[in-house]
Amino acid sequence: MSGVDPVPSELASGPDPVPSELVFASDGLLPAIIQDDDSGDVLMLAWMDREAVRRTLTTGRVTFWSRSRQEYWRKGDTSGHRQYVRGVRMDCDGDTLLVRVVQIGAACHTGTRTCFTGREVAALVGDPDADA
């Protein structure tokens, strides 16, 4: 839990803000897609457990669960590249979150604005009129 501020007591003592409809995988995690609230750019994907979701919903800053370090991390606590929550939605199955944020600085640990910048994968482009 290094580098992550505790949830203020007035938020921690209220009802559980985590929707009961959320479906966590057998490892207790679900993917969270992080999207820039202004541009709509997909910035990154990371993982949350129930506690990370709770922290995200109650603090206004995005918190993740690091699978490699086995600890919580809040974007920007070490890099200064922070994410401020603007809205959270779950998908139709309840097993993925979409978190809209104001991104300060780079979203990717490599220093790029998004984790998808410059990482194009060759793919055949489909033609929606071809199947008409």
Side-chain angles (χ1 to χ4, degrees), residues 22-82:
L22 281 182
V23 178
F24 295 88
S26 60
D27 61 3
L29 301 174
L30 57 73
I33 301 164
I34 310 304
Q35 183 179 36
D36 185 282
D37 191 50
D38 290 328
S39 70
D41 291 343
V42 174
L43 301 175
M44 58 182 285
L45 180 137
W47 300 91
M48 293 182 175
D49 66 0
R50 182 176 197 79
E51 177 62 16
V53 172
R54 186 184 70 77
R55 291 179 188 196
T56 298
L57 295 175
T58 59
T59 65
R61 295 273 308 274
V62 184
T63 299
F64 302 107
W65 175 254
S66 171
R67 296 177 299 165
S68 59
R69 295 188 313 265
Q70 294 290 295
E71 66 182 15
Y72 295 104
W73 59 281
R74 191 171 68 175
K75 192 67 165 172
D77 281 347
T78 56
S79 68
H81 301 164
R82 299 172 310 279

Side-chain angles (χ1 to χ4, degrees), residues 22-23 30-33 45 89-98:
L22 281 182
V23 178
L30 57 73
I33 301 164
L45 180 137
R89 294 182 183 194
M90 61 183 161
D91 74 340
C92 57
D93 298 319
D95 61 0
T96 303
L97 288 180
L98 175 65

